[in-house]
Amino acid sequence: MSAYDAIAELYDPWSRTVTEDIGFYVAEARKARSAVVELGVGTGRIAVPVAAAGVPVIGVDSSAGMLEVCRRRAEAAGVERLLDLRLGDLRDPPVPERVRLVTSPFRALLHLETDAERLEALAAAYRLLEPGGRFVFDVFAPSVEDVEETHDRWLEREPGIWERAHWDLEGRVLTLCLRGRESETSMRLAWLPVEDWRFLLEQAGFEVVACYGWFDLRPYAGGEDSIWLVKRP
Ligand SMILES: C[S@@+](CC[C@H](N)C(=O)[O-])C[C@H]1O[C@@H](n2cnc3c(N)ncnc32)[C@H](O)[C@@H]1O
């Protein structure tokens, strides 16, 4: 059972305003000229627009509830034939295919808490790629202001949808509680400084092509978000 199962129906209304990354991932998928594997595909917030652009997607997720919402969303958009959804762990994805692009949008890798787990996920992404193929993902590390504004406070993010962030700065773990009218959950997100991500990526054998600070491709300059484009040599 995944922490996301309880809020699968809440996820889309909760993330309604998160749209800044869609064009970026669709553009990367168009460039790849192959199917895309999305690790942590969720409800298809990115995968459905990618499929709508004509690119086949193999989507892996450990939440059956999220995949069910994704399936419905793909049907509503008329792209279900381009979306192949598979229940599984992103550290050991049930994907024998090899592709030119693997993605993990919207901080999915932050659900991994140790370097050993992160390296397993990076090794899995590496294995899925043909030589020259790319792994593209985004992660974040909080700013002092974000922590001060949100720590241990229930905030209404969307009408009827509340969230509370508890920041463990020493352990670098955010415990996020999410509550709707009929469901609630709690999940942990473990962040890392950008330099630690770079070190792990290089340890996993990737070549860093770019590290952006936002989805408009501005170079990373010390903000909360980092967007990584790395290559299997
Ligand atoms: C923040 S959501 C992102 C979903 C989607 N990529 C998006 O951009 O909206 C993170 C997703 O990763 C999935 N996830 C978390 N840990 C996972 C794991 N170890 N293996 C597979 N999926 C996982 C969750 O179930 C959830 O659907």
Side-chain angles (χ1 to χ4, degrees):
M1 185 86 179
S2 150
Y4 277 87
D5 286 330
I7 50 121
E9 302 293 338
L10 207 60
Y11 183 85
D12 287 344
W14 172 57
S15 61
R16 189 182 60 84
T17 56
V18 184
T19 52
E20 61 275 357
D21 51 355
I22 299 172
F24 167 80
Y25 281 107
V26 170
E28 286 301 319
R30 278 205 166 108
K31 275 189 252 166
R33 304 199 175 280
S34 98
V36 178
V37 176
E38 184 177 334
L39 300 174
V41 69
T43 61
R45 194 182 60 81
I46 300 287
V48 169
V50 167
V55 181
V57 181
I58 299 169
V60 176
D61 206 283
S62 53
S63 163
M66 295 290 272
L67 289 178
E68 179 49 34
V69 176
C70 187
R71 196 163 283 120
R72 269 191 262 133
R73 194 168 175 169
E75 272 167 22
V79 296
E80 67 275 20
R81 274 183 304 147
L82 286 173
L83 258 181
D84 180 348
L85 301 176
R86 304 184 191 175
L87 183 65
D89 196 297
L90 60 79
R91 290 166 293 174
D92 185 19
V95 183
E97 294 89 338
R98 295 295 171 261
V99 294
R100 297 193 54 77
L101 179 65
V102 175
T103 63
S104 195
F106 202 20
R107 308 165 174 182
L109 292 190
L110 296 191
H111 290 299
L112 308 170
E113 293 204 22
T114 64
D115 279 352
E117 289 179 343
R118 294 175 188 113
L119 282 168
E120 275 184 276
L122 296 180
Y126 190 96
R127 267 197 310 278
L128 289 167
L129 287 168
E130 293 171 9
R134 288 175 167 196
F135 179 40
V136 182
F137 67 99
D138 60 276
V139 285
F140 90 112
S143 65
V144 176
E145 296 78 37
D146 194 12
V147 172
E148 281 172 358
E149 273 168 32
T150 60
H151 186 64
D152 275 348
R153 290 198 195 125
W154 279 106
L155 300 168
E156 191 172 23
R157 170 141 170 182
E158 292 291 337
I161 304 179
W162 295 76
E163 68 179 34
R164 187 189 62 196
H166 176 87
W167 303 94
D168 169 1
L169 295 180
E170 212 166 298
R172 293 196 189 125
V173 175
L174 158 65
T175 304
L176 189 66
C177 296
L178 187 64
R179 189 195 280 165
R181 291 194 176 88
E182 285 155 18
S183 56
E184 63 179 275
T185 201
S186 162
M187 59 179 80
R188 288 162 61 87
L189 293 128
W191 71 88
L192 286 182
V194 156
E195 282 322 308
D196 290 19
W197 278 111
R198 188 182 294 277
F199 180 74
L200 289 176
L201 285 161
E202 286 171 356
Q203 228 180 311
F206 283 110
E207 203 175 283
V208 176
V209 177
C211 176
Y212 301 119
W214 193 237
F215 297 99
D216 57 8
L217 311 190
R218 74 183 73 157
Y220 179 77
E224 290 194 285
D225 295 277
S226 58
I227 297 131
W228 294 86
L229 212 150
V230 302
K231 186 169 94 172
R232 173 177 176 157

